Amino acid sequence: MRIRALLISVGLLAAATVQVSGAAAQAAAGPVLSVDASASRHAISPYVYGMNFADAALARDLRLPVHRWGGNATTRYDFRNDTSNRAADWYFENIPNDNTDPSTLPDGSDSDEFVDQNVATGADTILTLPLIGWAPKARAKACGFSVAKYGPQQSTDPWQPDCGNGKKPDGTNITGNDPHDTSAEITPAYVTDWINHLKSRYGAANSGGVRFYNLDNEPDLWFSTHRDVRPEGLGYDELRDRTYAYGAAVKAADPGAKTLGPVGWGLNSLIYSGLDQDVCGRTGCWSNPPDKAAHGGQDLGAWYLDQMKAYESAHGTRILDYFDNHIYPQQSGVLGDNVDAATQALRLRSTRQLWDPTYVDESWINTPVQFIPRMKNLVAQHYPGTKVAITEYNWGAFGHINGALAQADVLGIFGREGLDLATLWTAPTTAQPVAYAFRMFRNYDGAGGAFGETSVKATSADQDKLAVYAAERAADQALTLVVVNKSGGELTSDVALTGRAGTAQVYRYSDADLTTIQHGANLTVSASGFTGTFPANSITTIVVPKGTTTSPSPSPSPSPSPSPSPSPSPSPSPSPSPSPSASCTVAYTIVNQWQGGFQAGVKIVNTGASAVNGWHLDWTYANGQKVTQSWNSSYNQSGANVSVVNVNWNASLPAKGGSAEFGFLASRTGTANDVPAQFKLNGATCVKV
């Protein structure tokens, strides 16, 4: 195995040297790209473009949709004294946050200022709530492992030499320390107090307040990161019980708030409890982990979702809204600033672990990961209706074009694969290439130009050379494409488009100039598509206007790529055309249904001559259906009557074709699940299509 691994790494190095050496003398033929705006349509959650700890300027620039307060230091943070314990990251120290007037606390704490920024920039907030049961005992510096109290240690804080790393000079852990050296016990009442404080400043979650709460941060690693107060791993049962207690406290304090858990550190968090990771990490019991064996051999992720579903069944309250797990690439050198040729190639390949069943993870994992489908399948099997989140991820090389290429690929994958929320750990600076990767989706023209909100089918004949992602934009129904050239050489490819023609705008970011996005020459898009040249190491955003919808010509395309089907696509509905007096159409689609529930999607189109600014869509159910959760909207239901209201990013429906899409989950009591007979947009009856 060692010889085989060495041969593989040598081969990768040779290939990667070509890949990153610069543009070829002339463009080579690239893989065929295909985009079909009528196929594989589903909403892209705006929350996949989130970050941790972005500065206000970047948040405004990107119109950052969600912003997370997370990390190890938030597991032990006390809003009342504005102090956090930095855990194993920095000598297990209590460090008060800078505050010009501590006498006003809890008002004006660091967490308040974080929410203040989000209110100012329009981002929704994710705050991490401690479930560990401990918080800093006072607004003062303190050491978890005092040298004076526990003896000489392997390493000490150069600025606070009495604070050690909790390891004896021989590298073994100090045990038997007193958690009260830094911390005091807390209960779910702490969460209640904090949420009440936040509501008093910002309102409830459904009224502009804090929308999301992480149920701690990587609790399966507490035995390592917070071992001064939690030296043993967290088992199945205690994770469940703490989630029940603290999740219920969140919902009681603010019923509209959304919770995310269990916030594990990586793939192992879906399989093993913290207790098994602790024990087996020391004893090598991975083939038969004792905590897992005591729970019927069921992986932790599946068991956890079963327990959350059981709570809702018993209490009528959903205390888990998002199944949240972190992912950091485990391939050697990818996470970090390494940009040698082999690592650049590996970084770009490794994004496939997010989705590809054929990609064997090139790390100790050594098996296909399929992280997003894996999590979505767990939800579908064990707690349908739960959304899926990744509140920490990082593909490295923030300051290099290679990191930007990987980040753009990741954002495209998130949208295509239907992830519900993601926040990058941590935010880049405004000038770093990874920030430009976000701009290519969120603000490619400096004027708010963005990738569309409805994902459509986009395929590449060779994803490792050219990755392509496509979406339709609600405001103007433009088709937006993002093409990532990962090959290291300039490539010319045929791009087949179904049903689009017109003049497309082109925006590009590449290593030719890492300080700006270039507005390139326009492209002419014919009924069969176009031929595009994509520079080496580049991200290209192409905006094809709605224009004239056309059917491909039945004659063969002169390009070497196969022509699209010559026959026009069938009408999506046999319904008659809207009458001239109609001002809107509504398409209501049942995406999936099961005993006791279903998922549906709705598309509203404003066909009138005047724009709609702010909307509500109303209908009445006939079979006892009840909406339980929505996205890209908020809702209210009274009896059979449902009213769905826009959110801030889809409030505007431009005249003559402006549209918005939202989805929801609902329960049902019988077998019938009829589409509502009538829909009204702001009181006016729409035509069903």
Side-chain angles (χ1 to χ4, degrees):
M1 291 297 290
R2 291 176 61 86
I3 295 174
R4 180 174 180 270
L6 179 61
L7 292 173
I8 290 174
S9 67
V10 171
L12 292 177
L13 178 60
T17 302
V18 175
Q19 189 174 45
V20 299
S21 62
Q26 60 183 18
V32 173
L33 309 180
S34 299
V35 178
D36 185 351
S38 67
S40 303
R41 294 174 64 89
H42 65 266
I44 298 174
S45 169
Y47 290 134
V48 299
Y49 304 111
M51 292 180 178
N52 287 260
F53 300 114
D55 67 34
L58 183 61
R60 288 191 183 94
D61 187 18
L62 298 177
R63 295 171 295 109
L64 195 68
V66 64
H67 193 201
R68 177 177 180 256
W69 163 283
N72 289 333
T74 61
T75 288
R76 277 189 283 162
Y77 169 76
D78 195 322
F79 77 100
R80 299 166 299 192
N81 56 40
D82 197 22
T83 300
S84 63
N85 185 281
R86 305 307 170 89
D89 295 344
W90 194 255
Y91 298 98
F92 302 94
E93 289 182 33
N94 282 2
I95 299 179
N97 290 309
D98 292 337
N99 193 300
T100 57
D101 188 4
S103 67
T104 65
L105 291 172
D107 287 322
S109 66
D110 210 41
S111 53
D112 279 1
E113 290 182 357
F114 184 84
V115 182
D116 288 342
Q117 175 183 307
N118 293 340
V119 171
T121 63
D124 279 325
T125 299
I126 305 175
L127 281 184
T128 301
L129 300 175
L131 270 65
I132 198 168
W134 296 93
K137 64 181 182 180
R139 183 174 170 78
K141 290 187 177 181
C143 307
F145 293 100
S146 163
V147 173
K149 187 172 183 178
Y150 300 111
Q153 296 175 45
Q154 186 185 60
S155 175
T156 59
D157 179 352
W159 291 278
Q160 298 287 332
D162 188 47
C163 296
N165 69 346
K167 291 181 180 291
K168 298 175 183 178
D170 64 3
T172 59
N173 287 344
I174 292 172
T175 60
N177 65 295
D178 185 356
H180 296 97
D181 290 346
T182 59
S183 304
E185 292 88 344
I186 60 171
T187 69
Y190 170 87
V191 166
T192 302
D193 290 346
W194 194 3
I195 294 176
N196 286 338
H197 164 76
L198 294 165
K199 287 167 60 181
S200 72
R201 287 179 61 93
Y202 309 105
N206 287 339
S207 304
V210 174
R211 184 175 295 275
F212 300 104
Y213 293 99
N214 259 145
L215 300 177
D216 215 292
N217 178 78
E218 300 180 354
D220 53 323
L221 292 183
W222 285 346
F223 70 91
S224 174
T225 53
H226 293 273
R227 61 185 173 82
D228 58 323
V229 298
R230 179 73 202 210
E232 70 285 339
L234 185 71
Y236 280 63
D237 294 336
E238 192 178 356
L239 173 63
R240 175 198 60 204
D241 295 345
R242 288 181 179 273
T243 304
Y244 281 3
Y246 285 84
V250 172
K251 295 296 186 175
D254 191 350
K258 305 300 181 185
T259 55
L260 304 89
V263 206
W265 73 269
L267 178 62
N268 268 2
S269 309
L270 300 177
I271 303 169
Y272 306 106
S273 69
L275 181 57
D276 278 339
Q277 291 180 59
D278 178 13
V279 173
C280 295
R282 290 183 281 105
T283 67
C285 60
W286 299 107
S287 62
N288 187 29
D291 197 23
K292 183 176 180 179
H295 293 83
Q298 191 174 22
D299 285 350
L300 179 70
W303 184 89
Y304 175 85
L305 288 167
D306 284 343
Q307 302 306 303
M308 297 304 108
K309 182 180 180 181
Y311 185 96
E312 182 177 6
S313 297
H315 298 87
T317 299
R318 173 183 275 273
I319 58 168
L320 181 76
D321 298 291
Y322 286 77
F323 185 43
D324 180 12
N325 208 67
H326 299 163
I327 183 170
Y328 289 96
Q330 299 297 297
Q331 294 86 350
S332 178
V334 169
L335 177 59
D337 295 327
N338 291 350
V339 289
D340 61 88
T343 301
Q344 287 193 52
L346 181 58
R347 180 175 285 115
L348 296 177
R349 286 196 309 276
S350 67
T351 61
R352 301 180 77 99
Q353 69 188 281
L354 290 167
W355 64 276
D356 188 354
T358 70
Y359 176 73
V360 176
D361 196 284
E362 298 167 78
S363 73
W364 58 267
I365 295 173
N366 195 34
T367 191
V369 173
Q370 286 188 276
F371 200 68
I372 298 172
R374 180 189 293 257
M375 290 181 68
K376 292 182 72 172
N377 288 338
L378 283 170
V379 163
Q381 294 171 22
H382 297 277
Y383 196 9
T386 307
K387 296 185 179 183
V388 175
I390 300 173
T391 54
E392 285 186 26
Y393 71 94
N394 183 315
W395 249 261
F398 279 21
H400 194 277
I401 186 63
N402 185 251
L405 299 177
Q407 182 63 58
D409 200 27
V410 166
L411 293 176
I413 292 166
F414 285 170
R416 186 192 65 197
E417 296 297 313
L419 189 66
D420 295 301
L421 186 150
T423 51
L424 175 67
W425 181 270
T426 56
T429 66
T430 57
Q432 285 184 308
V434 162
Y436 282 94
F438 275 84
R439 290 185 180 102
M440 295 302 284
F441 285 86
R442 298 293 295 168
N443 192 11
Y444 55 77
D445 58 358
F451 193 61
E453 303 90 346
T454 300
S455 179
V456 303
K457 186 176 183 180
T459 58
S460 170
D462 190 340
Q463 181 91 359
D464 281 341
K465 290 183 177 179
L466 286 182
V468 59
Y469 306 96
E472 187 175 276
R473 194 161 59 196
D476 56 3
Q477 293 185 287
L479 183 66
T480 57
L481 284 66
V482 171
V483 181
V484 185
N485 184 348
K486 301 187 283 185
S487 72
E490 191 172 64
L491 296 174
T492 297
S493 289
D494 291 317
V495 184
L497 294 183
T498 301
R500 291 277 176 148
T503 300
Q505 294 183 320
V506 177
Y507 296 85
R508 180 168 290 125
Y509 183 70
S510 73
D511 57 1
D513 185 349
L514 294 179
T515 66
T516 188
I517 295 170
Q518 301 288 344
H519 187 177
N522 288 346
L523 275 172
T524 299
V525 179
S526 71
S528 59
F530 63 92
T531 299
T533 297
F534 304 97
N537 302 319
S538 67
I539 308 164
T540 303
T541 297
I542 301 169
V543 184
V544 185
K546 179 183 178 184
T548 303
T549 302
T550 62
S551 297
S553 168
S555 59
S557 167
S559 71
S561 61
S563 298
S565 170
S567 60
S569 300
S571 169
S573 170
S575 303
S577 300
S579 65
S581 62
S583 61
C584 51
T585 65
V586 171
Y588 177 106
T589 304
I590 296 174
V591 178
N592 191 16
Q593 61 183 359
W594 53 90
Q595 183 177 358
F598 66 98
Q599 177 183 342
V602 177
K603 181 175 182 179
I604 309 166
V605 178
N606 175 18
T607 58
S610 300
V612 173
N613 294 306
W615 53 264
H616 60 89
L617 186 71
D618 305 314
W619 69 81
T620 300
Y621 278 126
N623 310 121
Q625 300 98 321
K626 183 174 177 60
V627 178
T628 57
Q629 186 176 344
S630 71
W631 49 94
N632 296 337
S633 63
S634 60
Y635 72 92
N636 181 61
Q637 183 167 354
S638 177
N641 300 317
V642 179
S643 183
V644 176
V645 182
N646 65 267
V647 287
N648 56 7
W649 62 83
N650 64 7
S652 177
L653 303 178
K656 298 182 179 179
S659 65
E661 296 186 51
F662 63 88
F664 63 89
L665 296 171
S667 61
R668 57 193 182 108
T669 56
T671 57
N673 190 17
D674 296 334
V675 173
Q678 186 181 76
F679 296 90
K680 290 187 176 182
L681 180 67
N682 294 353
T685 302
C686 299
V687 172
K688 288 198 304 181
V689 296

